[in-house]
Amino acid sequence: MVKMGVAHFSGSYSPVPSDTMYSSTLLSKSSIKTSPAFTLNNQVFQTHIPKPLNNNFHSSQPLTLKSLKVRAMDTQEGVPSMPSFDFHGIDQKLVDRMVYDSLVWSSLHGLVVGDKSVQRSGKVPGVGMVHAPFALLPMPFPETHWKLACEVAPIFNELVDRVSLDAKFLQDSLSRTKKADAFTSRLLDIHSKMLDINKKEEIRLGLHRSDYMLDEQTKSLLQIEMNTISSSFAGLSSLVSDLHRSLLDNYGKLLNLDSKRVPGNTAASQFADALAKAWTEYNNPRSTVMVVAQADERNMYDQHWLSSLLKERHNITSIRKTLAEIDAEGELQADGSLIVDGQAISVIYFRAGYTPTDYPSESEWRARLLMEQSSAVKCPSISYHLVGTKKIQQELAKPNVLERFVDNKEDIAKLRKCFAGLWSLDDSDIVNKAIERPELFVMKPQREGGGNNIYGNDVREALKALQKEGTEEDAAYILMQRIFPTVFSTFLLRDGICHKDDAISELGIYGAYLRNKERVIINEQCGYLMRTKVSSSDEGGVAAGFAVLDSLYLT
Amino acid sequence: MVKMGVAHFSGSYSPVPSDTMYSSTLLSKSSIKTSPAFTLNNQVFQTHIPKPLNNNFHSSQPLTLKSLKVRAMDTQEGVPSMPSFDFHGIDQKLVDRMVYDSLVWSSLHGLVVGDKSVQRSGKVPGVGMVHAPFALLPMPFPETHWKLACEVAPIFNELVDRVSLDAKFLQDSLSRTKKADAFTSRLLDIHSKMLDINKKEEIRLGLHRSDYMLDEQTKSLLQIEMNTISSSFAGLSSLVSDLHRSLLDNYGKLLNLDSKRVPGNTAASQFADALAKAWTEYNNPRSTVMVVAQADERNMYDQHWLSSLLKERHNITSIRKTLAEIDAEGELQADGSLIVDGQAISVIYFRAGYTPTDYPSESEWRARLLMEQSSAVKCPSISYHLVGTKKIQQELAKPNVLERFVDNKEDIAKLRKCFAGLWSLDDSDIVNKAIERPELFVMKPQREGGGNNIYGNDVREALKALQKEGTEEDAAYILMQRIFPTVFSTFLLRDGICHKDDAISELGIYGAYLRNKERVIINEQCGYLMRTKVSSSDEGGVAAGFAVLDSLYLT
């Protein structure tokens, strides 16, 4: 168990709240107990929870030294050196000032979420607000890997588009999953219906986020997953980069850190621009963008930032509707256009609908089908959504599959470089290896929404149980190589309290893709999301659920 | 009792919370029960509570009509026509949309306060935030009166400065008050000590706010009071004007309202600029601005906005300290400069120290004296503070007193035009008249911080009690002509809930004044504060405490 350093804020000591960022879920179908989910106000962290391999931080030492030391670690095999932010020498008064300033900054600049402890905070804006959890300082990250991640973003965008056009590949790849996972099955049904009516999506909008971890041992940037629906935190992560730059502008000299090494993050405005361009392509000046939202959404301000930028920068109005409301208020016109609550909808932006719990009744599925049948631009379409499943990710990682969708060999090499080991459970060799060495694997369910990954000995137990059952159940999972990122000590802020702890980070790169028939209008990388969480070796421990928004510091 | 219209927000009906904006206080010395205070997160509304004279709003009518009507009222005696915003025909769906948008806007743009129901919200920034209470739409206000109020701001600034230099006038005018009011007495003691040591204030900074009401019967703009210390809401009121302009940009056509008729409000940046210029005059690049704050301050974001602008626009750092902290950490250097917590202080900006409760022990008085003795620029100095007392306001309203301080006859005429009737309680004629017709008067205590005014029959009872006692107690009060402003129906938002009700408004005009020896560096009007509150005829009713931030719509 890693010892935890708690930074004293305003002179008062507060222990880590034990339950607010932590939730444990059960797989409804298989009843296999999973490891805890990492939730940030309903948005779940998808990352692995490694055992810390590198614990340089000694929390038992007193905080007395006057300045922060940036120390270069050993390099190996030509990989650039990575400085470790050594916080055990940082002046506590300086930390207190930065904590106070950053909390004020968050409040004045809309870096906020709904507070779980306030009942209405997920429904009514403006009440029960609390600063979004964030890291006090950016996480060091090698510039070469950052550049690589940015570089592959447009290639991934295009890959998603190409794969989405191969309906047979999608249906075939997911055919076994369909039998084992009811949610994927319903999505595939809609996909089939669209094939039956020969539905064409001329304007195709993707707002993706590709998530990576930097593997400590291989020094390689490995993709965790590709999000093609409801890629969250574009709004808030842009603000965290601004916050960190502002803090380093004020305190950077004392810390020997340069604010210019925090990359600018225009994810929010670029996503808003992409939505606006899709609206323009649809070409109905009286139409509106519809945000499909969950009824209770504590991460609403992240979404409101996009709507606000859409209005301020492009004078385009957006409305928010739940799937149930769309079922009740939506109708298709004879020409295929969608009217919801009396308003013509040109662009449908999904911030709900990615997880089974978003479809508690047939009403929600009717709404999803209705939207898919319409001529509105869907972000994402059902086929884009399916491309984002773990199974497709795993299929694409197989030999010679990328070649079916990407022409350029250099591009293929770049993508493949990011692929972690991915296997289906019908590969008995790999299943046996995972039973033998479960610590090297993660077992992942198909579903988005995360938090259902299986780690450690649970992998062995789950695989054995599936072998015994001998059903199609195994098709609901894939196996993935477990990634062990570098551990850094950092300061994590939540609920006004600053905690010092060892942590690991996951980098998400946003990408926007817009195409109208053969004309590609946008294909670009759009800022980033850095998420950092406590790397407790005690996977079941309460501290493990503590994850925050972050930015990166190029090294 | 005025019936109250409640706008349904997001389909749910919520009654007015009965206690959160309402507080009743007792006068500690006289034990005369006063009418309820109107508090907005510790900042008390100083205004009169009139009985509504003009109740055009029929809340019992259903909200069905499709557009808002702006109706011109009868004009009289050449006073410009004043449109009444007639909200009983407004489309409920439009209101709901504007309410939602405005709540989102507040959250993203830092129009927030600490939530009373969250314990830490006055101490720790970033937790327990809620949107500041505000009116959904700006209040109509005649442009001529607006211009007059702006025009007299620099004259009032200069008047404060001139009066502050006349130590004998201050001491003499307040000599009787000194015996009756312990708080004023302590301030006068500090003032005397400064006279004894012949303390010179070369750099003089005033950040004032002159508050007015528009009297319905006389159509005149009458000054309620002049705030020379801790003039609040410069930060948040600037945002409310932006919010209203943004709403009218989006919905103005539907409402037949033009966003350009909401005057721009740069109070926050102008106040920050004035603090920066005072810092520059003090001429110590390593020095900092000190905000003297209350330990528990739910209106902290209003203050943080000024500090934030000071940093962003001028790269000047500020620190926040309570009076007790200043007593513990402050020391005077041999050259008169002030060091607090190891930092040189060039400008002291008081957002505490204006009310007796800010001085619970001798420690706070020591801090006040320490600061006054220092060479730091005090905003305000003890003499500026004293000029803002009700007694001085009343003295200045006497015949031939203004002439002692202002040379220009036109300026004198303009100031006098704004003066309401003000009398001391040693004027037995006026006391008898007030006992006879108490509804025409307000009885006001010396102290700032408000909420202790006496109205209606309580005026009669209080005056009779004072006559019986025959002590110096009467010197703790002044009598003021009661002002009856026009009543408008409006939408008030608090805690995410929209209420429709009849309301009255008070206009505050900010002014900044900076002088170094004989050189006047700043003397300007700096934006405005509009406050609107429910005008219930039931003065003791719970709805009466409901006051919100507003802006104005020029008519």
PDB file of all heavy atoms in Angstrom, chain A residues 453-471:
ATOM      1  N   ASN A 453     -13.466  -3.360 -16.270  1.00  0.00           N
ATOM      2  CA  ASN A 453     -12.300  -4.163 -16.609  1.00  0.00           C
ATOM      3  C   ASN A 453     -11.947  -5.118 -15.476  1.00  0.00           C
ATOM      4  O   ASN A 453     -12.233  -4.864 -14.305  1.00  0.00           O
ATOM      5  CB  ASN A 453     -11.106  -3.261 -16.912  1.00  0.00           C
ATOM      6  CG  ASN A 453     -11.354  -2.425 -18.149  1.00  0.00           C
ATOM      7  OD1 ASN A 453     -12.213  -2.751 -18.962  1.00  0.00           O
ATOM      8  ND2 ASN A 453     -10.603  -1.334 -18.282  1.00  0.00           N
ATOM      9  N   ILE A 454     -11.314  -6.208 -15.843  1.00  0.00           N
ATOM     10  CA  ILE A 454     -10.948  -7.241 -14.867  1.00  0.00           C
ATOM     11  C   ILE A 454      -9.426  -7.344 -14.825  1.00  0.00           C
ATOM     12  O   ILE A 454      -8.774  -7.395 -15.870  1.00  0.00           O
ATOM     13  CB  ILE A 454     -11.581  -8.590 -15.256  1.00  0.00           C
ATOM     14  CG1 ILE A 454     -13.107  -8.431 -15.340  1.00  0.00           C
ATOM     15  CG2 ILE A 454     -11.225  -9.684 -14.253  1.00  0.00           C
ATOM     16  CD1 ILE A 454     -13.822  -9.652 -15.918  1.00  0.00           C
ATOM     17  N   TYR A 455      -8.885  -7.351 -13.607  1.00  0.00           N
ATOM     18  CA  TYR A 455      -7.434  -7.337 -13.426  1.00  0.00           C
ATOM     19  C   TYR A 455      -6.971  -8.462 -12.512  1.00  0.00           C
ATOM     20  O   TYR A 455      -7.745  -8.995 -11.717  1.00  0.00           O
ATOM     21  CB  TYR A 455      -6.993  -6.010 -12.788  1.00  0.00           C
ATOM     22  CG  TYR A 455      -7.357  -4.793 -13.573  1.00  0.00           C
ATOM     23  CD1 TYR A 455      -8.554  -4.137 -13.335  1.00  0.00           C
ATOM     24  CD2 TYR A 455      -6.501  -4.306 -14.559  1.00  0.00           C
ATOM     25  CE1 TYR A 455      -8.899  -3.003 -14.055  1.00  0.00           C
ATOM     26  CE2 TYR A 455      -6.838  -3.177 -15.279  1.00  0.00           C
ATOM     27  CZ  TYR A 455      -8.032  -2.531 -15.025  1.00  0.00           C
ATOM     28  OH  TYR A 455      -8.354  -1.427 -15.740  1.00  0.00           O
ATOM     29  N   GLY A 456      -5.701  -8.761 -12.581  1.00  0.00           N
ATOM     30  CA  GLY A 456      -5.021  -9.616 -11.612  1.00  0.00           C
ATOM     31  C   GLY A 456      -5.631 -11.005 -11.516  1.00  0.00           C
ATOM     32  O   GLY A 456      -6.003 -11.610 -12.533  1.00  0.00           O
ATOM     33  N   ASN A 457      -5.758 -11.477 -10.291  1.00  0.00           N
ATOM     34  CA  ASN A 457      -6.259 -12.843 -10.105  1.00  0.00           C
ATOM     35  C   ASN A 457      -7.684 -13.009 -10.608  1.00  0.00           C
ATOM     36  O   ASN A 457      -8.099 -14.117 -10.957  1.00  0.00           O
ATOM     37  CB  ASN A 457      -6.181 -13.235  -8.625  1.00  0.00           C
ATOM     38  CG  ASN A 457      -4.776 -13.711  -8.272  1.00  0.00           C
ATOM     39  OD1 ASN A 457      -4.060 -14.216  -9.138  1.00  0.00           O
ATOM     40  ND2 ASN A 457      -4.385 -13.531  -7.022  1.00  0.00           N
ATOM     41  N   ASP A 458      -8.426 -11.893 -10.643  1.00  0.00           N
ATOM     42  CA  ASP A 458      -9.791 -11.965 -11.166  1.00  0.00           C
ATOM     43  C   ASP A 458      -9.795 -12.406 -12.627  1.00  0.00           C
ATOM     44  O   ASP A 458     -10.751 -13.028 -13.093  1.00  0.00           O
ATOM     45  CB  ASP A 458     -10.502 -10.613 -11.029  1.00  0.00           C
ATOM     46  CG  ASP A 458     -10.789 -10.277  -9.574  1.00  0.00           C
ATOM     47  OD1 ASP A 458     -10.744 -11.203  -8.733  1.00  0.00           O
ATOM     48  OD2 ASP A 458     -11.070  -9.092  -9.287  1.00  0.00           O
ATOM     49  N   VAL A 459      -8.729 -12.051 -13.360  1.00  0.00           N
ATOM     50  CA  VAL A 459      -8.622 -12.476 -14.762  1.00  0.00           C
ATOM     51  C   VAL A 459      -8.598 -14.004 -14.815  1.00  0.00           C
ATOM     52  O   VAL A 459      -9.338 -14.639 -15.576  1.00  0.00           O
ATOM     53  CB  VAL A 459      -7.356 -11.888 -15.429  1.00  0.00           C
ATOM     54  CG1 VAL A 459      -7.137 -12.502 -16.813  1.00  0.00           C
ATOM     55  CG2 VAL A 459      -7.445 -10.367 -15.519  1.00  0.00           C
ATOM     56  N   ARG A 460      -7.744 -14.580 -13.958  1.00  0.00           N
ATOM     57  CA  ARG A 460      -7.622 -16.056 -13.928  1.00  0.00           C
ATOM     58  C   ARG A 460      -8.981 -16.688 -13.604  1.00  0.00           C
ATOM     59  O   ARG A 460      -9.435 -17.598 -14.306  1.00  0.00           O
ATOM     60  CB  ARG A 460      -6.586 -16.442 -12.879  1.00  0.00           C
ATOM     61  CG  ARG A 460      -6.406 -17.957 -12.726  1.00  0.00           C
ATOM     62  CD  ARG A 460      -5.404 -18.283 -11.638  1.00  0.00           C
ATOM     63  NE  ARG A 460      -4.040 -18.002 -12.046  1.00  0.00           N
ATOM     64  CZ  ARG A 460      -3.078 -17.561 -11.214  1.00  0.00           C
ATOM     65  NH1 ARG A 460      -3.369 -17.308  -9.959  1.00  0.00           N
ATOM     66  NH2 ARG A 460      -1.858 -17.338 -11.663  1.00  0.00           N
ATOM     67  N   GLU A 461      -9.620 -16.152 -12.551  1.00  0.00           N
ATOM     68  CA  GLU A 461     -10.893 -16.738 -12.122  1.00  0.00           C
ATOM     69  C   GLU A 461     -11.952 -16.609 -13.200  1.00  0.00           C
ATOM     70  O   GLU A 461     -12.708 -17.546 -13.477  1.00  0.00           O
ATOM     71  CB  GLU A 461     -11.381 -16.066 -10.822  1.00  0.00           C
ATOM     72  CG  GLU A 461     -10.426 -16.223  -9.635  1.00  0.00           C
ATOM     73  CD  GLU A 461     -10.000 -17.670  -9.415  1.00  0.00           C
ATOM     74  OE1 GLU A 461     -10.887 -18.552  -9.462  1.00  0.00           O
ATOM     75  OE2 GLU A 461      -8.785 -17.932  -9.254  1.00  0.00           O
ATOM     76  N   ALA A 462     -11.991 -15.422 -13.832  1.00  0.00           N
ATOM     77  CA  ALA A 462     -13.003 -15.173 -14.865  1.00  0.00           C
ATOM     78  C   ALA A 462     -12.793 -16.088 -16.063  1.00  0.00           C
ATOM     79  O   ALA A 462     -13.740 -16.683 -16.592  1.00  0.00           O
ATOM     80  CB  ALA A 462     -12.959 -13.708 -15.297  1.00  0.00           C
ATOM     81  N   LEU A 463     -11.536 -16.251 -16.469  1.00  0.00           N
ATOM     82  CA  LEU A 463     -11.245 -17.092 -17.633  1.00  0.00           C
ATOM     83  C   LEU A 463     -11.581 -18.557 -17.340  1.00  0.00           C
ATOM     84  O   LEU A 463     -12.163 -19.260 -18.185  1.00  0.00           O
ATOM     85  CB  LEU A 463      -9.768 -16.948 -18.030  1.00  0.00           C
ATOM     86  CG  LEU A 463      -9.384 -15.583 -18.639  1.00  0.00           C
ATOM     87  CD1 LEU A 463      -7.874 -15.504 -18.854  1.00  0.00           C
ATOM     88  CD2 LEU A 463     -10.109 -15.345 -19.969  1.00  0.00           C
ATOM     89  N   LYS A 464     -11.237 -19.001 -16.120  1.00  0.00           N
ATOM     90  CA  LYS A 464     -11.553 -20.382 -15.738  1.00  0.00           C
ATOM     91  C   LYS A 464     -13.065 -20.617 -15.731  1.00  0.00           C
ATOM     92  O   LYS A 464     -13.552 -21.649 -16.214  1.00  0.00           O
ATOM     93  CB  LYS A 464     -10.981 -20.697 -14.360  1.00  0.00           C
ATOM     94  CG  LYS A 464      -9.490 -21.019 -14.377  1.00  0.00           C
ATOM     95  CD  LYS A 464      -9.030 -21.398 -12.954  1.00  0.00           C
ATOM     96  CE  LYS A 464      -7.587 -21.866 -12.941  1.00  0.00           C
ATOM     97  NZ  LYS A 464      -7.122 -22.069 -11.545  1.00  0.00           N
ATOM     98  N   ALA A 465     -13.780 -19.646 -15.195  1.00  0.00           N
ATOM     99  CA  ALA A 465     -15.244 -19.762 -15.137  1.00  0.00           C
ATOM    100  C   ALA A 465     -15.826 -19.857 -16.542  1.00  0.00           C
ATOM    101  O   ALA A 465     -16.733 -20.658 -16.810  1.00  0.00           O
ATOM    102  CB  ALA A 465     -15.838 -18.569 -14.383  1.00  0.00           C
ATOM    103  N   LEU A 466     -15.289 -19.035 -17.447  1.00  0.00           N
ATOM    104  CA  LEU A 466     -15.788 -19.041 -18.822  1.00  0.00           C
ATOM    105  C   LEU A 466     -15.473 -20.383 -19.505  1.00  0.00           C
ATOM    106  O   LEU A 466     -16.296 -20.912 -20.251  1.00  0.00           O
ATOM    107  CB  LEU A 466     -15.175 -17.885 -19.621  1.00  0.00           C
ATOM    108  CG  LEU A 466     -15.714 -16.493 -19.250  1.00  0.00           C
ATOM    109  CD1 LEU A 466     -14.878 -15.411 -19.917  1.00  0.00           C
ATOM    110  CD2 LEU A 466     -17.178 -16.347 -19.664  1.00  0.00           C
ATOM    111  N   GLN A 467     -14.270 -20.925 -19.230  1.00  0.00           N
ATOM    112  CA  GLN A 467     -13.908 -22.221 -19.803  1.00  0.00           C
ATOM    113  C   GLN A 467     -14.883 -23.304 -19.353  1.00  0.00           C
ATOM    114  O   GLN A 467     -15.307 -24.155 -20.132  1.00  0.00           O
ATOM    115  CB  GLN A 467     -12.485 -22.609 -19.378  1.00  0.00           C
ATOM    116  CG  GLN A 467     -11.401 -21.937 -20.209  1.00  0.00           C
ATOM    117  CD  GLN A 467     -10.001 -22.396 -19.831  1.00  0.00           C
ATOM    118  OE1 GLN A 467      -9.763 -22.781 -18.682  1.00  0.00           O
ATOM    119  NE2 GLN A 467      -9.078 -22.358 -20.777  1.00  0.00           N
ATOM    120  N   LYS A 468     -15.233 -23.271 -18.056  1.00  0.00           N
ATOM    121  CA  LYS A 468     -16.143 -24.254 -17.482  1.00  0.00           C
ATOM    122  C   LYS A 468     -17.514 -24.166 -18.152  1.00  0.00           C
ATOM    123  O   LYS A 468     -18.108 -25.166 -18.537  1.00  0.00           O
ATOM    124  CB  LYS A 468     -16.266 -24.002 -15.977  1.00  0.00           C
ATOM    125  CG  LYS A 468     -16.432 -25.276 -15.154  1.00  0.00           C
ATOM    126  CD  LYS A 468     -16.508 -24.936 -13.666  1.00  0.00           C
ATOM    127  CE  LYS A 468     -15.336 -25.532 -12.903  1.00  0.00           C
ATOM    128  NZ  LYS A 468     -15.309 -25.102 -11.493  1.00  0.00           N
ATOM    129  N   GLU A 469     -18.014 -22.924 -18.271  1.00  0.00           N
ATOM    130  CA  GLU A 469     -19.345 -22.718 -18.843  1.00  0.00           C
ATOM    131  C   GLU A 469     -19.404 -23.211 -20.284  1.00  0.00           C
ATOM    132  O   GLU A 469     -20.402 -23.787 -20.719  1.00  0.00           O
ATOM    133  CB  GLU A 469     -19.732 -21.238 -18.796  1.00  0.00           C
ATOM    134  CG  GLU A 469     -20.107 -20.755 -17.390  1.00  0.00           C
ATOM    135  CD  GLU A 469     -20.338 -19.253 -17.353  1.00  0.00           C
ATOM    136  OE1 GLU A 469     -20.771 -18.690 -18.375  1.00  0.00           O
ATOM    137  OE2 GLU A 469     -20.066 -18.643 -16.302  1.00  0.00           O
ATOM    138  N   GLY A 470     -18.320 -22.929 -21.021  1.00  0.00           N
ATOM    139  CA  GLY A 470     -18.269 -23.370 -22.414  1.00  0.00           C
ATOM    140  C   GLY A 470     -19.344 -22.753 -23.295  1.00  0.00           C
ATOM    141  O   GLY A 470     -19.786 -23.336 -24.265  1.00  0.00           O
ATOM    142  N   THR A 471     -19.800 -21.556 -22.941  1.00  0.00           N
ATOM    143  CA  THR A 471     -20.849 -20.890 -23.733  1.00  0.00           C
ATOM    144  C   THR A 471     -20.215 -19.864 -24.672  1.00  0.00           C
ATOM    145  O   THR A 471     -18.998 -19.818 -24.838  1.00  0.00           O
ATOM    146  CB  THR A 471     -21.824 -20.145 -22.807  1.00  0.00           C
ATOM    147  OG1 THR A 471     -21.076 -19.123 -22.142  1.00  0.00           O
ATOM    148  CG2 THR A 471     -22.445 -21.084 -21.810  1.00  0.00           C
TER     149      THR A 471
END
